[in-house]
Amino acid sequence: MQLRDPSGQLRASAAGPSATLYVCGITPYDSTHLGHAATYVAFDVLRRTWMDAGLSVQHASNVTDVDDPLLERAAATGVDWRDLAADQTAKFADDMAALRVLPPHTYLTVTETVPQVAETVVALLRDGAAYQLDDGDVYADLSADPAFGGVAALDDATMHTLFAERGGDPDRVGKRHQLDPLLWRAERPGDPAWDVPVLPRGRPGWHVECAMIATASLGSVVDVQGGGRDLVFPHHEMSTSHARLLGTSVRVQAHAGLVAYAGQKMSKSLGNLVFVNTLLADGNDPSAIRLAIGAHHYRTDWEWTGDQLTAAHTRLTRWRTAAARRTAAPAAPVLSAVRQALANDLDTPTALAAIDTWTRTEGEDESAATEIRTLTDALLGIAL
Ligand code: 5CA
Ligand code: ZN
């Protein structure tokens, strides 16, 4: 698998070659939209590509089931935040299963890992990589990590703007540096909070949650950390920094482009959403949804339109008709073209085009159709 990081040889262990994948999970306060789906499908194709290459994959993910937008939605709708999170997490799992996204091997929520996050925060304090303000809040001291900034490689002004836009608090009085991120938030009235050793009663910050879950689930090397492009800064910059100080290195950062709808990034906070469960309830075949997503390279931003789903249905029907033939052109060259395309930074549009070509070519091979069905099923998660 050749992501854009040139360092990328995967590791071989005594048990055989292996690879570790951390994909940031959802904040469960609304249904899964197509932007989420596109990101999770992209990393699912990566996992399938690795498995096809004979790697033993360990895949971990989190659920941000304590966070401001979730608490605000629960308060606004009069629902207990725990019920909202549990309900939306279950619905997300159903949507992912329908889309045939392979579930992570380790899947942890904030609420079930509070003691471990607290231990992590205490370890960072002990090592001088964090500090506590008078009210008990704990922040990471970014100056303890000389490699900070290497993930996003942004100038100071841009980091500052994005930090403020995406959950950071650059102007909090008492912080050593404006970009220092929150690790532990002491209890505020009405907020969920936990009693833990050493720290005041409170709740975890966001980035440290992913650092801790990745480290605890995958060990000292995360081959790929993935998410949508909106997570590059500050989230992956910060979580990678925390993980590094905890002894875990992230080798490759891979980010999916953002899916827009009605002219803007599809986003729970903007409300311009196309939900996966609505598309499924309308009778759309999950394989067509995957094809519509796979028609775009995972790294590019794109805009969802109904036409693309129509085109994906047409493609799926053509593939199914071709895969029902008794004889067809041999599958081996298609398999190698698809593998080559996916090995080239997960180039799904080229992989799909190779199958298109096969559907239009006649031949005498009697096992080709079965082999193509196996190929699309295993590598692309598409059932013919
Ligand atoms: N819980 C955090 C990560 S630890 C979070 O960002 N949750 S989320 O529910 O907001 O997003 C879940 C995943 O979907 C993230 O990888 C995010 O980058 C991705 N995502 C969100 N909106 C879009 C979009 N419009 N296009 C593509 N991916 C998106
Ligand atoms: Zn995350």
Side-chain angles (χ1 to χ4, degrees), residues 249-337:
S249 59
V250 178
R251 301 182 69 203
V252 176
Q253 304 277 347
H255 292 99
L258 297 178
V259 181
Y261 184 58
Q264 291 197 74
K265 175 199 157 188
M266 203 179 281
S267 137
K268 285 180 279 207
S269 48
L270 293 174
N272 56 335
L273 304 171
V274 176
F275 293 120
V276 171
N277 57 22
T278 310
L279 293 178
L280 294 171
D282 288 348
N284 289 291
D285 191 312
S287 290
I289 300 174
R290 280 190 78 122
L291 273 177
I293 291 170
H296 302 272
H297 189 277
Y298 82 93
R299 249 185 308 102
T300 53
D301 292 347
W302 53 284
E303 177 148 359
W304 172 262
T305 56
D307 293 357
Q308 296 175 47
L309 190 55
T310 308
H313 276 292
T314 306
R315 195 176 214 173
L316 184 61
T317 304
R318 193 172 67 239
W319 285 20
R320 283 187 173 146
T321 306
R325 290 178 294 178
R326 206 180 54 74
T327 64
V334 188
L335 183 51
S336 90

Side-chain angles (χ1 to χ4, degrees), residues 58-76:
Q58 274 303 314
H59 171 189
S61 195
N62 67 308
V63 181
T64 312
D65 64 348
V66 184
D67 200 11
D68 292 340
L70 165 72
L71 299 172
E72 284 158 17
R73 175 67 65 90

Side-chain angles (χ1 to χ4, degrees), residues 133-274:
L133 300 189
D134 290 343
D135 64 357
D137 286 357
V138 180
Y139 283 84
D141 184 338
L142 293 175
S143 67
D145 177 19
F148 172 79
V151 171
L154 297 171
D155 59 62
D156 284 349
T158 310
M159 285 199 284
H160 194 284
T161 307
L162 290 177
F163 184 67
E165 277 173 18
R166 297 175 178 169
D169 52 359
D171 300 324
R172 171 82 196 267
V173 176
K175 279 167 59 170
R176 291 183 188 162
H177 317 281
Q178 290 199 311
L179 296 180
D180 288 349
L182 181 75
L183 295 174
W184 186 260
R185 181 173 151 94
E187 184 175 16
R188 308 290 199 272
D191 254 17
W194 287 261
D195 288 311
V196 294
V198 184
L199 301 172
R201 193 176 149 76
R203 64 167 156 117
W206 174 28
H207 316 300
V208 67
E209 160 205 347
C210 281
M212 190 289 292
I213 293 174
T215 300
S217 312
L218 303 175
S220 60
V221 180
V222 176
D223 287 304
V224 170
Q225 164 158 278
R229 193 167 58 70
D230 55 340
L231 296 188
V232 176
F233 194 90
H235 185 51
H236 284 171
E237 189 74 62
M238 302 296 182
S239 62
T240 302
S241 170
H242 301 334
R244 188 160 40 234
L245 297 176
L246 299 167
T248 292
S249 59
V250 178
R251 301 182 69 203
V252 176
Q253 304 277 347
H255 292 99
L258 297 178
V259 181
Y261 184 58
Q264 291 197 74
K265 175 199 157 188
M266 203 179 281
S267 137
K268 285 180 279 207
S269 48
L270 293 174
N272 56 335
L273 304 171
V274 176

Side-chain angles (χ1 to χ4, degrees), residues 28-30 65 68-88 91 190 192:
Y29 67 91
D30 210 337
D65 64 348
D68 292 340
L70 165 72
L71 299 172
E72 284 158 17
R73 175 67 65 90
T77 51
V79 178
D80 186 287
W81 64 271
R82 295 170 203 83
D83 295 337
L84 175 61
D87 184 37
Q88 292 301 337
K91 288 188 169 135

Side-chain angles (χ1 to χ4, degrees), residues 32-46:
T32 315
H33 60 63
L34 257 160
H36 302 131
T39 292
Y40 293 109
V41 164
F43 291 103
D44 183 62
V45 173
L46 171 61

